[in-house]
Amino acid sequence: MRVKAATIAGLTGGKIEGDPEKEISGPGGIETATEDQITFLGNLKYEHYLYSGHAGVVIIPEDLILKEQVASTLIRVKDVYAAVGILLKAFEQKNEQESRISEHAIVSSDARVGSNVSIGAFTIVEAGVSVGDGVVLGNQVYIGKNCTIGQGSNIGDGVKIYYDCELGTDCIIQANTVVGSDGFGYSRDESGQFTRVPQIGKVILGDRVELGACVTIDRATMGATVLENGVKVDNLVHIAHNVRIGADSAIAAQAGIAGSTKLGSQVLVGGQVGISGHISIASKTEIQAKSGISSVVKEEGSRLFGYPAMDYMAFVRSFTIFKKLPEMWKRLNELEQFMKK
Amino acid sequence: MRVKAATIAGLTGGKIEGDPEKEISGPGGIETATEDQITFLGNLKYEHYLYSGHAGVVIIPEDLILKEQVASTLIRVKDVYAAVGILLKAFEQKNEQESRISEHAIVSSDARVGSNVSIGAFTIVEAGVSVGDGVVLGNQVYIGKNCTIGQGSNIGDGVKIYYDCELGTDCIIQANTVVGSDGFGYSRDESGQFTRVPQIGKVILGDRVELGACVTIDRATMGATVLENGVKVDNLVHIAHNVRIGADSAIAAQAGIAGSTKLGSQVLVGGQVGISGHISIASKTEIQAKSGISSVVKEEGSRLFGYPAMDYMAFVRSFTIFKKLPEMWKRLNELEQFMKK
Amino acid sequence: MRVKAATIAGLTGGKIEGDPEKEISGPGGIETATEDQITFLGNLKYEHYLYSGHAGVVIIPEDLILKEQVASTLIRVKDVYAAVGILLKAFEQKNEQESRISEHAIVSSDARVGSNVSIGAFTIVEAGVSVGDGVVLGNQVYIGKNCTIGQGSNIGDGVKIYYDCELGTDCIIQANTVVGSDGFGYSRDESGQFTRVPQIGKVILGDRVELGACVTIDRATMGATVLENGVKVDNLVHIAHNVRIGADSAIAAQAGIAGSTKLGSQVLVGGQVGISGHISIASKTEIQAKSGISSVVKEEGSRLFGYPAMDYMAFVRSFTIFKKLPEMWKRLNELEQFMKK
């Protein structure tokens, strides 16, 4: 497939600077894109590649002022990432075959399977499951009894979904993720031994929820662990029993949210963040990577950093002095010495 | 199934306040339980739901003094979580069918399989494996050569157990967990290249050991990585080669324990904690979430916080001042200015 | 198999102290090795076991000065871990059967499969895949379309490799790891909703790359996520889209590297470390466990600690004073009081 710069400008609503007839055959990274490829400048850290690189076409921000001459044909757009999304979608390889149910899958005769559904090899769909139209279940997947998989959802290879869980429409789950495992709930007797508290709730994922690879989402003790519409979750994230995550929140890789905590909508959680159990976090809160939140966040739009987390700027100010502590210690000693004289 | 409050009070050894004839049909969360449901008040943070909620029956602590009128029938018990455990067990859905070995499983003719064993589809049991009575192996499970799975154990879908590992009785493992993978052991030559040190030991899990989803437990270089009786491990935890964890310890989600470290019994490890290799941690030590332990903990019952971890209260006191560092810096400057005059 | 101390000394280039005729039947851990076993003293923390233990033979450092009498036969070597590597390799159980392709595997007729290849049960090899000579694919593995698996590589049970990924020769991947999942890339509109940016790049692993269990390596948005020759990655590590990791670097368990970051060669990353996106880290940098790196590291051989990470020794010095902050606070107060008088 060869595409002209003018066609891409049309698709993305951009303005061309250079040769509108320039043809490319696919996308490439900004460091390595060749004359035959299109790339993009999303992060200005990479601006030097724009001048030194050899890409055929580069998508750039509408208002970028060029510092040097550029050999590539440019397409100026308002939102680079949105334009790239449109572009890549056009190039995305359709890796699924036409929809078909593998002869090596085991689909219960008591499951309801919609139209245009693909089910991979060695995948198991238990009784009572409802699989919506256009769903793709990968290979070696397990869908437990009475689950609902909303239409258009795509479940990656090796994903395991325990019984009774509900997924909305257009959900995407990457490989080897687990949904609906038992929560970590025990009572402890006087001798210090643990007794398991049965976990008989479920997990509900709203529409357009996306989960990365090797994510774990525990079922509720009672009731449901809920991820509302549009929540995006990166790889290796842990979400404990009875957590609720508000719509359009995003949780970066390796973050963990302990039991019964509630996040508002549009909360942004950085990588490796930990959030304690039984607290609530106001909508639009932004939590810096690796921070630890151990108490309620009441104010919408809070920006938090550190562990235990503080206001972002307060943390930065304290940390600036932390780096000078040896100096401060010395100065305090000197002052004391001086006083004693 | 409909159950009377009086029946539940009998099961849990509780005392009824309200209508002993009140019938419920199942459990629900405290925020959402309906008149047809039973719920519980375990954490007093949720006490307001007791007054505003509509649950048919609520299990509460024996000695709770009510602040307002409650519409629900109450059952007062000594240990709420223990009572909930008893209650949920009664309601727990028996999701396993009667025990059976899937025709789509591959069970070596050289494996010993006890009575009442269930083996799921696409599961593999290698030669020399011993599967105890009443064991449930989920679907898409792999049990390597010469493993022992103690009676009553339940191995989740997609779990992989490498050769030679030994599980005691009544172990529970959630989906996609890995037991017995090679430890991360290399020698490094002068040029900086790594050479693999073969990992030929094994993993031994005692009785009643429970592992969450996507947990990884590496086999020993030589000898065994050991989790003693009653150890409970949450999701996404990493336990390295040659670690030993004492009886009835609990490890919360995403914690990691580096090679050859030994934990005493009844150690409580918070979420996202890291523990260095080659150290020992005294019994009954409690480690606050996200802390990092890099040296030996000798005193039983230590409570640790921070990274590098300190005594819990010492950390809290230092952190209180950390938040005031900008103020402290300013005051020190002013003092110095004043002295110079 | 019984082996004489003299034979082992010959294999490892060591010098015997004691009985060269001493026979052992296998290796054991230093705490528990019996008279019939060989063990090693790699870390001097365990030196007391040398005097109190009962191992038949112990491998020790060439220049170790004994503090007490030792009952075991000793073999003195220059590099204990290298010697152990040689030794264990000799003892390593060959757990694979002779190479064979399971009748329960699904191998596309459009895949190229080399000689001496083993493919486990319930494993899927898609069209266009190239499997090199001597490759072992475990059970329940998925290899997506057009992947290349270099000769001698060993892919563990349950591993999922998405389409188009390339593995070099002699790679080893532990169970349930995911290679080539979609990166976490979204554009966000003014209303706060996320739209997926398609991820159409791939993952390239060089030769001798080793990945632990439950690792996730995301494919690039465009171009490739690259791990160069000899990189070793421990369990539960997250490597985001478009990351590049230089040759012979090692990443310990549960570390995470965010998108587009580039590591030089021979970088050592401690457990639970987090590295921000879009930065570069100079070769031979050493990052202490649990640290967080949020800005460029320019100097080769840097040693970093803390979050945000500082020079190792600078962090240690600041942290020493952090522990004394309450004292410092008190002294500052007293000084101010004194001045007011």
Side-chain angles (χ1 to χ4, degrees):
Chain A
M1 178 163 84
R2 298 191 62 80
V3 187
K4 287 186 185 171
T7 311
I8 295 164
L11 272 171
T12 58
K15 272 185 289 185
I16 291 188
E17 224 164 280
D19 178 10
E21 298 298 308
K22 179 78 196 172
E23 282 187 356
I24 55 95
S25 66
I30 191 155
E31 301 99 321
T32 58
T34 61
E35 242 210 300
D36 202 38
Q37 292 182 313
I38 183 165
T39 188
F40 70 99
L41 178 66
N43 185 323
L44 293 184
K45 280 192 187 174
Y46 301 112
E47 189 176 343
H48 59 285
Y49 289 113
L50 183 62
Y51 310 119
S52 63
H54 304 283
V57 181
V58 187
I59 297 177
I60 64 170
E62 200 172 50
D63 52 1
L64 182 72
I65 296 166
L66 298 177
K67 302 202 187 90
E68 298 180 33
Q69 195 146 357
V70 176
S72 315
T73 290
L74 303 177
I75 300 179
R76 290 182 177 273
V77 300
K78 201 170 169 189
D79 180 336
V80 170
Y81 287 104
V84 169
I86 292 163
L87 176 72
L88 292 184
K89 213 157 183 177
F91 277 105
E92 203 173 10
Q93 284 184 33
K94 293 298 169 210
N95 275 279
E96 306 99 50
Q97 293 107 313
E98 61 278 30
S99 63
R100 65 179 201 85
I101 295 176
S102 167
E103 58 182 330
H104 300 283
I106 300 175
V107 179
S108 167
S109 56
D110 291 335
R112 290 175 300 283
V113 176
S115 58
N116 281 316
V117 168
S118 287
I119 302 182
F122 311 128
T123 284
I124 300 164
V125 177
E126 295 279 18
V129 169
S130 167
V131 179
D133 294 348
V135 164
V136 176
L137 303 181
N139 305 280
Q140 302 143 331
V141 167
Y142 177 78
I143 310 288
K145 280 188 187 173
N146 302 319
C147 286
T148 302
I149 312 293
Q151 62 180 45
S153 291
N154 186 314
I155 310 300
D157 306 305
V159 168
K160 313 302 178 199
I161 304 184
Y162 284 71
Y163 64 95
D164 283 354
C165 294
E166 301 171 18
L167 277 68
T169 61
D170 298 313
C171 291
I172 300 177
I173 304 185
Q174 304 290 317
N176 281 354
T177 277
V178 176
V179 174
S181 39
D182 280 0
F184 194 64
Y186 298 91
S187 60
R188 202 176 177 203
D189 67 19
E190 282 152 31
S191 75
Q193 287 211 341
F194 294 101
T195 302
R196 180 174 198 73
V197 174
Q199 305 287 313
I200 67 168
K202 59 186 171 181
V203 173
I204 300 175
L205 306 185
D207 298 337
R208 292 166 288 106
V209 170
E210 301 187 15
L211 307 180
C214 295
V215 168
T216 64
I217 306 203
D218 284 349
R219 66 194 313 106
T221 310
M222 305 183 213
T225 303
V226 179
L227 277 65
E228 296 181 3
N229 292 344
V231 170
K232 312 299 181 193
V233 174
D234 201 355
N235 298 342
L236 291 165
V237 165
H238 163 69
I239 295 179
H241 48 184
N242 292 85
V243 165
R244 174 178 277 267
I245 300 183
D248 299 318
S249 292
I251 319 283
Q254 297 175 318
I257 303 179
S260 298
T261 280
K262 313 294 177 209
L263 271 63
S265 60
Q266 299 192 14
V267 173
L268 302 181
V269 178
Q272 298 183 341
V273 162
I275 305 183
S276 293
H278 297 282
I279 61 174
S280 62
I281 309 287
S283 292
K284 299 190 180 177
T285 296
E286 295 184 26
I287 306 172
Q288 185 69 12
K290 273 185 116 55
S291 299
I293 311 294
S294 44
S295 54
V296 173
V297 177
K298 289 187 177 158
E299 201 180 335
E300 280 208 9
S302 296
R303 294 182 63 217
L304 301 170
F305 195 3
Y307 177 54
M310 303 161 52
D311 169 73
Y312 183 92
M313 282 314 301
F315 176 83
V316 169
R317 280 189 295 263
S318 277
F319 191 78
T320 303
I321 313 298
F322 173 82
K323 290 195 272 188
K324 298 179 186 166
L325 280 180
E327 174 203 329
M328 209 169 155
W329 179 259
K330 190 162 157 270
R331 281 166 57 193
L332 183 61
N333 285 346
E334 284 167 0
L335 218 52
E336 285 177 339
Q337 288 300 322
F338 184 81
M339 299 294 295
K340 282 185 192 157
K341 280 174 200 169
Chain B
M1 178 163 85
R2 298 191 61 80
V3 188
K4 287 186 184 171
T7 311
I8 295 164
L11 272 172
T12 57
K15 271 185 291 186
I16 291 187
E17 225 165 278
D19 178 9
E21 299 299 309
K22 179 78 196 172
E23 281 186 356
I24 54 95
S25 65
I30 192 156
E31 300 98 322
T32 57
T34 60
E35 241 210 300
D36 201 38
Q37 292 182 313
I38 183 166
T39 188
F40 70 100
L41 178 66
N43 185 323
L44 293 184
K45 280 191 187 175
Y46 301 112
E47 189 177 344
H48 59 283
Y49 288 113
L50 183 63
Y51 310 119
S52 63
H54 303 284
V57 180
V58 187
I59 298 178
I60 63 169
E62 200 171 50
D63 51 1
L64 181 75
I65 294 165
L66 298 177
K67 302 203 185 88
E68 299 180 31
Q69 195 146 356
V70 177
S72 316
T73 290
L74 302 176
I75 301 179
R76 290 182 177 272
V77 300
K78 201 171 167 188
D79 180 335
V80 170
Y81 287 104
V84 169
I86 292 163
L87 175 72
L88 292 186
K89 213 157 183 177
F91 276 105
E92 202 173 11
Q93 284 184 34
K94 292 299 170 209
N95 275 278
E96 306 99 50
Q97 293 105 316
E98 61 277 31
S99 62
R100 65 178 201 86
I101 296 177
S102 167
E103 56 181 329
H104 300 283
I106 301 176
V107 180
S108 166
S109 56
D110 290 335
R112 292 175 299 284
V113 176
S115 57
N116 280 316
V117 168
S118 288
I119 302 182
F122 311 128
T123 284
I124 300 164
V125 178
E126 296 279 17
V129 169
S130 167
V131 179
D133 295 348
V135 163
V136 176
L137 303 181
N139 304 281
Q140 303 144 331
V141 168
Y142 177 78
I143 310 288
K145 280 188 185 174
N146 301 320
C147 286
T148 303
I149 312 293
Q151 61 179 45
S153 291
N154 187 314
I155 311 301
D157 305 306
V159 169
K160 314 303 178 199
I161 305 184
Y162 283 71
Y163 64 95
D164 283 354
C165 294
E166 301 171 18
L167 278 68
T169 60
D170 298 313
C171 290
I172 299 177
I173 304 185
Q174 303 291 317
N176 281 355
T177 277
V178 176
V179 174
S181 40
D182 280 359
F184 195 63
Y186 297 91
S187 61
R188 201 176 180 204
D189 67 20
E190 282 152 31
S191 75
Q193 286 210 342
F194 294 101
T195 302
R196 182 174 196 74
V197 174
Q199 306 287 313
I200 68 170
K202 59 185 170 183
V203 174
I204 300 175
L205 306 185
D207 298 337
R208 291 165 288 106
V209 170
E210 300 188 13
L211 308 179
C214 295
V215 168
T216 64
I217 306 203
D218 283 348
R219 64 195 313 105
T221 309
M222 305 182 212
T225 303
V226 179
L227 278 65
E228 297 181 1
N229 293 343
V231 169
K232 311 300 181 192
V233 174
D234 201 354
N235 297 343
L236 292 165
V237 165
H238 164 69
I239 296 180
H241 47 183
N242 291 87
V243 165
R244 174 178 278 268
I245 300 183
D248 298 319
S249 292
I251 320 282
Q254 297 175 319
I257 303 180
S260 299
T261 281
K262 313 294 177 207
L263 272 63
S265 60
Q266 298 192 15
V267 173
L268 302 182
V269 177
Q272 298 183 342
V273 162
I275 305 183
S276 293
H278 297 282
I279 61 174
S280 62
I281 309 287
S283 292
K284 298 190 181 176
T285 296
E286 294 184 26
I287 306 172
Q288 186 68 12
K290 272 185 118 54
S291 299
I293 311 293
S294 44
S295 54
V296 173
V297 177
K298 289 187 175 159
E299 201 180 336
E300 280 207 8
S302 295
R303 293 182 64 216
L304 302 170
F305 194 3
Y307 177 55
M310 304 161 53
D311 169 74
Y312 183 93
M313 282 314 299
F315 176 84
V316 170
R317 280 189 295 262
S318 277
F319 191 78
T320 303
I321 313 297
F322 173 83
K323 290 193 272 188
K324 298 179 187 166
L325 279 181
E327 173 203 330
M328 208 168 157
W329 179 258
K330 188 160 159 272
R331 281 166 56 192
L332 184 61
N333 285 345
E334 285 166 359
L335 218 51
E336 285 177 339
Q337 288 301 322
F338 184 81
M339 300 292 296
K340 282 183 193 158
K341 280 172 200 170
Chain C
M1 177 163 82
R2 298 191 63 80
V3 187
K4 287 184 185 173
T7 310
I8 294 163
L11 271 172
T12 57
K15 272 185 289 185
I16 292 188
E17 225 165 278
D19 177 10
E21 299 297 310
K22 179 77 197 173
E23 282 186 356
I24 54 92
S25 66
I30 192 156
E31 301 98 321
T32 58
T34 60
E35 241 210 300
D36 202 37
Q37 292 182 314
I38 183 166
T39 188
F40 70 99
L41 177 66
N43 186 322
L44 293 184
K45 280 191 187 174
Y46 301 112
E47 189 177 343
H48 59 284
Y49 288 114
L50 183 64
Y51 310 119
S52 64
H54 303 285
V57 181
V58 187
I59 297 178
I60 64 170
E62 201 171 49
D63 53 1
L64 181 73
I65 295 166
L66 298 177
K67 302 202 185 88
E68 298 180 33
Q69 196 148 357
V70 177
S72 315
T73 290
L74 302 176
I75 300 179
R76 290 181 178 272
V77 299
K78 201 171 167 188
D79 181 336
V80 169
Y81 287 105
V84 169
I86 291 164
L87 176 74
L88 292 185
K89 213 156 182 178
F91 276 106
E92 202 173 9
Q93 284 184 36
K94 292 299 169 210
N95 276 280
E96 308 97 51
Q97 292 106 313
E98 61 277 30
S99 62
R100 63 179 203 85
I101 295 176
S102 167
E103 58 182 327
H104 300 284
I106 300 176
V107 180
S108 167
S109 56
D110 291 334
R112 291 175 300 283
V113 176
S115 57
N116 280 316
V117 167
S118 288
I119 301 182
F122 311 128
T123 284
I124 300 164
V125 177
E126 294 280 16
V129 170
S130 167
V131 179
D133 295 347
V135 163
V136 176
L137 303 180
N139 305 281
Q140 302 144 332
V141 167
Y142 177 79
I143 310 287
K145 279 188 185 173
N146 302 319
C147 286
T148 302
I149 312 293
Q151 60 180 44
S153 290
N154 187 314
I155 311 301
D157 305 306
V159 169
K160 314 303 177 199
I161 305 184
Y162 283 71
Y163 65 95
D164 283 354
C165 294
E166 302 170 18
L167 277 68
T169 60
D170 297 313
C171 290
I172 301 177
I173 304 184
Q174 304 291 317
N176 281 354
T177 277
V178 175
V179 174
S181 40
D182 280 359
F184 195 63
Y186 297 92
S187 61
R188 202 176 179 204
D189 67 18
E190 281 153 33
S191 76
Q193 285 211 343
F194 295 101
T195 302
R196 179 175 198 73
V197 174
Q199 306 286 312
I200 69 168
K202 59 185 171 181
V203 174
I204 300 175
L205 306 185
D207 299 336
R208 290 166 288 107
V209 170
E210 300 188 15
L211 308 180
C214 295
V215 168
T216 65
I217 306 203
D218 282 349
R219 66 193 313 105
T221 309
M222 305 182 212
T225 304
V226 179
L227 279 64
E228 296 181 2
N229 292 342
V231 169
K232 311 300 181 191
V233 174
D234 200 355
N235 298 342
L236 292 165
V237 165
H238 163 70
I239 295 179
H241 48 184
N242 292 86
V243 165
R244 173 178 278 268
I245 300 183
D248 298 319
S249 292
I251 319 283
Q254 295 175 321
I257 303 179
S260 299
T261 280
K262 312 296 179 207
L263 272 62
S265 60
Q266 299 193 15
V267 173
L268 302 181
V269 177
Q272 297 183 343
V273 162
I275 305 183
S276 293
H278 297 283
I279 61 173
S280 62
I281 309 288
S283 292
K284 299 191 180 176
T285 296
E286 295 183 27
I287 306 171
Q288 186 68 13
K290 271 184 119 54
S291 298
I293 312 293
S294 44
S295 54
V296 173
V297 178
K298 289 186 176 160
E299 201 181 336
E300 280 209 7
S302 296
R303 294 182 64 215
L304 301 169
F305 195 3
Y307 177 55
M310 304 162 51
D311 169 76
Y312 183 93
M313 283 313 301
F315 176 83
V316 169
R317 280 189 295 262
S318 277
F319 191 77
T320 303
I321 313 298
F322 173 83
K323 289 194 272 188
K324 297 178 187 166
L325 279 181
E327 174 203 328
M328 210 168 154
W329 179 259
K330 189 161 159 271
R331 282 166 56 192
L332 183 62
N333 286 344
E334 284 166 0
L335 219 51
E336 285 177 338
Q337 288 301 322
F338 184 81
M339 298 293 295
K340 283 183 192 158
K341 280 174 202 171

